[in-house]
Each structure stands twice: as structure tokens, then as C-alpha cells.
Amino acid sequence: MVSAFKTIGIFGRVKNSGVIETLKMLIAYLRSLNQNIIIDSEIADALEDITLKSVARADFGKHCQLMIVVGGDGSLLHAAHTIVEHQIPVLGINRGRLGFLTDILPTQLNKIKPILEGKYLLEKRFLLTARVQHEGKIIGQSDALNEVALIPDTLPHMNEFEIYIDDQFLCSQDSDGVIIATPTGSTAYALSGGGPILHPQLDAMVMVPMFPHTLTLRPIVIEGNHRITLVISPNNSATPRLSCDSQSIFNTPPGSTITIEKKPERLHLIHPLDYDYYETLRSKLHWGRKLQYTE
């Protein structure tokens, strides 16, 4: 079979339940299609298959033209951080609980063949870059596909901070923190905090306050190219933390400044041609099905 992708990289967290079994099935299926495959060293150790070429996880983007992720949305988030700089498209095989990003089931591996033939839908999802500065020095920087969240330290408490949008003052908050989410992340942490669902094609961000000390603060949706700045009050008695997709966490001391803006590179996410975003919402969030009327 002639493939649209010369080499396929396979990514999965082998400690997760069921992932090893699905990885073996996936590799066998791709081999039946005569595809060139590479895996990372962690998978290589788990499978003990010396016939498979392995590379360091950080080097995937240099060796493959498509990455297939086996796992849940957390696994795909991790993979996205690895390959987004290389603009390598990602396809997800769902072994997680929800799977808003990984939409092919392990029983549907036959959906991969048309994708390899170039028959697929391609979405470009934007990420956020967050940077923490304190006393003129950058003390932390990372990217987020889902959300950047200002959260308390080990003990829950109110944090005092100001929010600016493109240097225009928006408001000050006394709250546990705030979630700044992309459309991709609007169905994750931000949703559990009471934020709206943003369609993935929207060029927008949503800010969701976390347990504010006033009933009038509500989520706000802003245009995606704005720059958001959080200024941590010097009066804070504790040090809140900044989380990027729950994968990178930095301390934000009193007096520090956090800058959040869109990352230039986007994640290229692949779906089968029958992908239906609204069906994903219905099935994952248990929304009502289409009514069946009887005469």
C-alpha cells in the first residue's frame, strides 16, 4: 500500500491499563500494511521486540511524518508537547476515559488505512505559551494545549492578583486562581470550573475564575491573539503555582508577572473522515440523543 506518510511513530504510556495490548495490535496492523514504524525506548523495553526501530521520545519529530498516540487525552497532550515544534500530525487511539482528542477505538483500527492513504480531516489546534518573570528574570516557561492555570500551593487559600489584556486592566481577583483555556481545553479543566465549551475552530480563549471571593466574577471569552498578563500581588502571604496542562508547574512568588499568549506553532490533529465533533460531545458528556418519534 502506498502511504501518505513515510514513517509512523508510535507513542503510548505503557504503564496505563490496556495500552500494551493495543500497542501490539496496532503494530501488527501497521506491519500488515507494510508500514515503516518507529517506537520510543520505553515502548521498546515493554514489548521486547528487537525488530522494531526505537528512538528517544524527544527525537520523534526528526524521524517520522505521522505520530499515532495510544492512550487518553493526557497521553496525546504529552505527545503534542514533544512534536509540535516539528509540525508532525497526530492521530489518537483512545484507551482513556473520555477521549476528546483520541477518537479511534482499539476495535476500529481499520479506520487507519484510509488515513494512511491520505483520506482524513486535519485540524490545527493552537497552544498557549506561559512565561513567569520575577525581579527581571524568567523563572519558568512552558506551553499548554489545554490550559494555563494559576492554582494555590499545597494548601487552599485566596490569591490576590490583577489581570491585564494587551496591557489594558481587566480586573483584580481574590480567588483560588484562574484557568485560561484554549478551545481544545474548554472541555477539560475549564469545563469543570463552569466555563463554556468553545468549538475547536474558534480563535478564542476563555478565562474561568476559580472560587472567587465575589459572586459577580464570571468566565469571559476573548479573541485568541490577545496577550494576557497576570500580576501576583506583593501582598500575598503564600506563593501560588502556575500549571501548564498539569505537566509543567512553576512557583509564582509575590510580585511576579505571568504572560500568556498564543504559540506560533500549532498542533496538527488528524481525524477519520467520519469524525463528528458534536457526536463526541454527546457521547462523552452524556447529552441527550436525537429523539425518535413514533406515529
Side-chain angles (χ1 to χ4, degrees):
M1 186 193 80
V2 178
S3 175
F5 308 99
K6 182 179 178 181
T7 302
I8 300 169
I10 299 177
F11 179 97
R13 295 180 176 178
V14 295
K15 295 180 181 179
N16 291 2
S17 176
V19 168
I20 288 290
E21 176 187 354
T22 302
L23 284 169
K24 291 179 179 178
M25 293 169 54
L26 174 63
I27 290 169
Y29 180 74
L30 293 175
R31 279 175 161 170
S32 73
L33 299 177
N34 297 315
Q35 299 301 298
N36 189 30
I37 304 167
I38 60 171
I39 58 176
D40 66 33
S41 55
E42 183 179 334
I43 295 176
D45 291 341
L47 297 182
E48 298 180 344
D49 187 342
I50 61 174
T51 64
L52 287 168
K53 179 183 177 181
S54 65
V55 298
R57 186 167 290 183
D59 293 333
F60 256 124
K62 302 175 184 177
H63 298 278
C64 66
Q65 290 75 50
L66 170 68
M67 176 180 284
I68 300 181
V69 178
V70 177
D73 287 348
S75 296
L76 196 140
L77 284 174
H78 192 84
H81 286 252
T82 303
I83 52 84
V84 66
E85 303 287 349
H86 300 278
Q87 304 289 274
I88 303 300
V90 180
L91 173 68
I93 310 297
N94 185 18
R95 289 295 325 203
R97 290 176 297 171
L98 286 177
F100 281 100
L101 300 173
T102 52
D103 44 38
I104 293 181
L105 297 175
T107 56
Q108 300 174 325
L109 296 184
N110 61 308
K111 286 189 173 185
I112 296 176
K113 184 178 179 182
I115 290 172
L116 299 180
E117 294 172 342
K119 303 170 186 175
Y120 56 80
L121 300 175
L122 177 65
E123 281 191 321
K124 295 182 180 180
R125 305 281 187 98
F126 75 81
L127 292 83
L128 300 174
T129 294
R131 183 170 58 254
V132 183
Q133 291 182 286
H134 185 248
E135 296 180 347
K137 297 180 180 179
I138 296 176
I139 60 174
Q141 181 169 319
S142 189
D143 300 330
L145 176 62
N146 270 354
E147 76 279 314
V148 175
L150 184 68
I151 57 177
D153 58 15
T154 53
L155 295 176
H157 57 78
M158 288 289 179
N159 291 307
E160 183 179 279
F161 56 95
E162 294 178 336
I163 302 177
Y164 295 81
I165 299 177
D166 288 343
D167 298 325
Q168 287 188 309
F169 177 68
L170 175 66
C171 66
S172 59
Q173 285 193 24
D174 282 309
S175 65
D176 276 19
V178 64
I179 303 166
I180 295 125
T182 66
T184 302
S186 69
T187 51
Y189 194 16
L191 183 63
S192 67
I197 295 174
L198 305 182
H199 191 281
Q201 293 181 7
L202 287 175
D203 188 359
M205 297 180 282
V206 60
M207 289 192 291
V208 182
M210 299 171 60
F211 304 106
H213 200 237
T214 173
L215 297 178
T216 58
L217 276 174
R218 290 290 183 265
I220 180 172
V221 177
I222 64 173
E223 202 270 336
N225 289 314
H226 287 310
R227 181 181 70 257
I228 299 172
T229 304
L230 309 179
V231 179
I232 309 301
S233 171
N235 300 325
N236 273 352
S237 59
T239 299
R241 297 174 295 167
L242 191 74
S243 167
C244 296
D245 284 346
S246 299
Q247 297 192 17
S248 300
I249 298 180
F250 309 103
N251 289 329
T252 60
S256 60
T257 299
I258 303 161
T259 304
I260 302 157
E261 54 193 342
K262 185 188 292 183
K263 183 179 178 66
E265 296 83 8
R266 296 194 174 207
L267 174 67
H268 292 203
L269 189 62
I270 282 181
H271 301 288
L273 288 178
D274 63 355
Y275 171 70
D276 183 341
Y277 174 71
Y278 301 110
E279 168 59 24
T280 300
L281 291 181
R282 288 194 299 272
S283 62
K284 305 304 180 182
L285 300 179
H286 305 289
W287 287 359
R289 297 283 179 172
K290 188 175 182 180
L291 298 177
Q292 300 296 323
Y293 296 101
T294 57
E295 295 183 359

